[in-house]
């Protein structure tokens, strides 16, 4: 048995923490300063983590490699298994041109560009984040807004800022699932606290969006539908994450938010021509006036309805128990680790949910989608393979980062850093969202930031007497605000609207919003750690 040590380097906590931080520093420097591709930075960081675990923390080579292998498997299944199948469903809608029908359907909801920004960038963007994540919402929503006549820069900025509130529960809950796995906290506990933080962003973001689209006039004239949309989104996200299913939180929020927005009196009223003339400065797509048969419109919405239906059925107790029977629990080979207290760690045993995991449920919904959309079996298989190819670097990045996280966690590196960071005391609650924000800003992924810093946050929380669930959730909730300034997302936005090379322009426009909302989240988390907002926690 390998027993973790907190001060293996010269019996000094400070020196040990400095050495333990080398893998994280390596990744962040390679991403932020050297601007290396994320998958290469992840692999180099993993190599550094293995060397530190072996040479400095005394973890046997076999156990170190076994820990990394467990991280790779978790990265592939269930994490990328969810993302691949979700993006596959989207690709089939593009292949059959039902995505174009969906775009035209949204364009007919309202001709007011401020309402269109809410419907497409906020509500539909949240739905895309729920199903795919990893930059898809920003790319797709930017293109849709440009097709409606938005200026490319404004379309990109609106899409980037909108891609905040749903990120923590994106890709069928992948970030919070990862957070629960690397911290050892129950998924329901983590999701519950995140669901009491990110909905607060949903109250504010729609108001920011109408301001970005049309300035003070937009805020003055459309604050009611924006607020109604934000409140409905927030309530649905809170309710789903706390009482139903973290995987369905964003889907429920997106649908309820869109429904509430459309139901607001006047939301579908034609906008004044001066408003349209001042906001819509780009070329409007010619196909927007094309009428689509009702049957085809229903088929365009079918994939999303099927995913909701499949996940809802999976939550019914008898069905949930049946799916759970396929779960396999086994001792992870070549791994026998105990914490500093001598107690075996939970990662010695691995749980593999074959049917109950989100990726398998999305796959089932995708198979039914293929039938509904009339996609031939061979075409569906080719689209799935093309999806894997498209995501190959994302797969490599996620698996290498998770392998790095598992090596750091199981060798004791994360615990050592956590004990050192705990010296911040009560100030740790204020700073914890900043760590998540920084992680997402450099990696572009809330999942990766949770894998990197989740265990560290929990370790520091326990050392300082704060709630582990609160700081773990704060990592994810703060992380969502780094999404809009991540180089990955900025590049995707620029490429989508034909602004290649102007990432700096977008960064200057979104950075103040990112920092402002981060400050709000830091204050919220700090207040939740005290009696001021402590009542918000379960």
């Amino acid at each position: 048995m390998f027993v973790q040590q907190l001060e293996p380097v010269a019996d000094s906590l400070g020196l040990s923490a400095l050495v333990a931080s080398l893998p994280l520093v390596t990744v962040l420097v390679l991403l932020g300063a050297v601007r290396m591709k994320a998958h290469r930075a992840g692999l180099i960081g993993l190599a550094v983590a293995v060397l530190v675990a072996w040479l400095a923390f005394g973890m046997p080579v076999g156990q170190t490699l076994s820990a990394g292998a467990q991280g790779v498997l978790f990265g592939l299944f269930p994490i990328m298994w969810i993302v691949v199948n979700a993006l596959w469903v989207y690709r089939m809608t593009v292949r059959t041109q039902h995505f174009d029908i969906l775009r035209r359907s949204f364009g007919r909801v309202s001709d007011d560009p401020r309402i269109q920004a809410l419907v497409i960038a906020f509500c539909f963007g949240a739905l895309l984040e729920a199903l795919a994540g990893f930059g898809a919402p920003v790319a797709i929503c930017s293109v849709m807004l440009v097709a409606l006549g938005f200026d490319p820069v404004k379309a990109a900025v609106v899409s980037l800022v909108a891609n905040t509130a749903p990120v923590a529960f994106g890709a069928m809950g992948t970030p919070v699932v990862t957070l629960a796995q690397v911290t050892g906290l129950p998924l329901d506990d983590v999701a519950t606290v995140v669901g009491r933080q990110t909905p607060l962003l949903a109250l504010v973001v729609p108001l920011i969006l109408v301001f970005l689209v049309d300035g003070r006039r937009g805020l003055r004239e459309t604050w009611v539908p924006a607020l109604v949309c934000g409140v409905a989104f927030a309530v649905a996200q809170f309710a789903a994450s706390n009482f139903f299913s973290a995987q369905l939180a964003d889907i429920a929020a997106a649908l309820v938010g869109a429904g509430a927005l459309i139901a607001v009196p006047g939301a579908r009223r034609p906008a004044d021509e001066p408003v349209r003339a001042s906001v819509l400065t780009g070329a409007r797509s010619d196909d927007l006036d094309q009428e689509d048969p009702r049957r085809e419109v229903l088929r365009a919405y079918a994939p999303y309805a099927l995913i909701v239906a499949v996940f809802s059925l999976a939550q019914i107790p008898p069905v949930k128990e049946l799916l759970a029977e396929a779960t396999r629990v086994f001792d992870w080979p070549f791994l026998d680790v105990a914490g500093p207290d001598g107690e075996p760690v939970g990662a010695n045993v691995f749980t593999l949910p074959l049917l109950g995991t989100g990726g398998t449920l999305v796959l089932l919904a995708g198979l039914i989608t293929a039938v509904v959309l009339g996609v031939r079996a061979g075409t569906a298989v080719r689209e799935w393979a093309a999806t894997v190819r498209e995501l190959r670097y994302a797969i490599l990045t996620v698996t290498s980062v998770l392998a790095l996280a598992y090596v750091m966690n199981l060798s004791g590196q994360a615990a050592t850093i956590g004990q050192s960071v705990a010296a911040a005391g009560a100030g740790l609650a204020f700073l914890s969202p900043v760590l998540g924000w920084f992680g997402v800003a450099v990696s572009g992924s809330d999942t990766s930031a949770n894998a990197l810093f989740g265990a560290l946050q929990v370790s520091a929380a326990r050392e300082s007497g704060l709630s582990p669930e609160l700081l773990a959730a704060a990592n994810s909730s703060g992380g969502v605000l780094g999404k809009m300034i991540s180089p990955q997302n900025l590049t995707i936005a620029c490429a989508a609207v034909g602004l290649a090379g102007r990432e700096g322009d977008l960064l200057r426009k979104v950075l103040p919003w990112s920092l402002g909302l981060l400050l709000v989240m830091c204050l919220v988390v700090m207040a939740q750690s005290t009696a001021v907002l402590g009542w918000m926690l379960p």
Side-chain angles (χ1 to χ4, degrees), residues 4-9 12-13 16-17 57 340 412 415-416 419 463:
Q4 297 173 352
Q5 298 182 49
L6 294 177
E7 302 177 358
V9 181
S12 166
L13 180 63
S16 299
F57 281 74
T416 296
Q419 191 170 50
E463 291 296 328

Side-chain angles (χ1 to χ4, degrees), residues 100-403:
D100 292 329
I101 296 173
L102 194 68
R103 175 171 57 83
R104 289 192 288 270
S105 175
F106 286 154
R108 285 190 286 270
V109 168
S110 172
D111 74 343
D112 187 327
R114 300 162 300 191
I115 302 299
Q116 289 174 341
L118 293 176
V119 172
I120 294 173
F122 187 68
C123 297
F124 186 59
L127 188 61
L128 290 172
E129 182 67 36
L131 299 178
F134 291 86
V138 170
I140 295 165
C141 292
S142 297
V143 170
M144 291 177 75
L145 290 175
V146 169
L148 291 171
F150 277 68
D151 171 73
V153 173
K154 185 171 289 186
V157 170
V158 166
S159 298
L160 285 165
V161 174
N163 191 218
T164 48
V167 169
F169 296 104
M172 309 309 294
T174 296
V176 290
V177 170
T178 303
L179 185 61
Q181 182 70 18
V182 299
T183 59
L185 299 172
L187 173 60
D188 289 345
D189 291 356
V190 173
T192 295
V193 180
V194 174
R196 298 176 189 220
Q197 293 172 345
T198 56
L200 298 175
L201 298 176
L203 299 175
V204 180
V205 170
L207 296 170
I208 295 175
L209 296 181
V210 296
F211 177 80
L212 287 172
V213 172
D214 195 27
R216 293 182 180 177
R217 179 180 60 186
L219 197 57
R220 184 175 64 252
E221 295 181 359
T222 56
W223 70 268
V224 173
L227 189 60
V228 168
C229 178
V231 169
F233 186 102
V235 170
Q237 190 182 61
F238 161 75
S241 60
N242 275 257
F243 307 114
F244 189 57
S245 167
Q247 287 88 347
L248 284 179
D250 279 349
I251 294 179
L255 297 177
V256 172
L261 174 62
I262 295 170
V264 174
R268 303 188 67 171
R269 185 173 59 238
D272 295 336
E273 195 53 40
V275 172
R276 291 180 53 77
S278 64
V279 174
L280 302 180
T281 56
R284 186 173 179 271
S285 180
D286 294 334
D287 73 340
L288 287 174
D289 298 322
Q290 178 181 330
E291 287 293 331
D292 297 301
R294 181 178 295 273
R295 179 171 179 270
E296 294 305 313
V297 173
L298 291 175
R299 291 175 73 190
Y301 283 93
Y304 311 106
L306 284 168
I307 289 176
V308 173
V310 169
F311 271 82
S312 299
L313 286 173
Q315 298 305 313
I316 298 173
V319 178
K320 195 171 185 177
E321 291 173 9
L322 184 64
L323 294 174
E325 290 181 6
T327 299
R328 297 290 177 263
V329 180
F330 54 91
D331 291 331
W332 187 257
F334 310 113
L335 194 66
D336 189 9
V337 178
D341 57 1
E343 294 294 321
V345 299
N348 291 331
V349 178
F350 192 78
T351 302
L352 196 64
L354 298 174
L355 297 182
T357 187
T360 304
L361 297 177
V362 175
L363 176 64
L364 176 59
L367 294 173
I368 303 173
T369 293
V371 175
V372 171
L373 299 185
V375 180
R376 295 179 180 275
T379 303
V381 171
R382 285 192 293 274
E383 286 296 329
W384 194 90
T387 303
V388 174
R389 177 174 173 76
E390 180 183 337
L391 290 173
R392 62 190 184 279
Y393 292 121
I395 292 171
L396 189 55
T397 300
V398 169
T399 51
S400 61
V401 167
L402 278 161

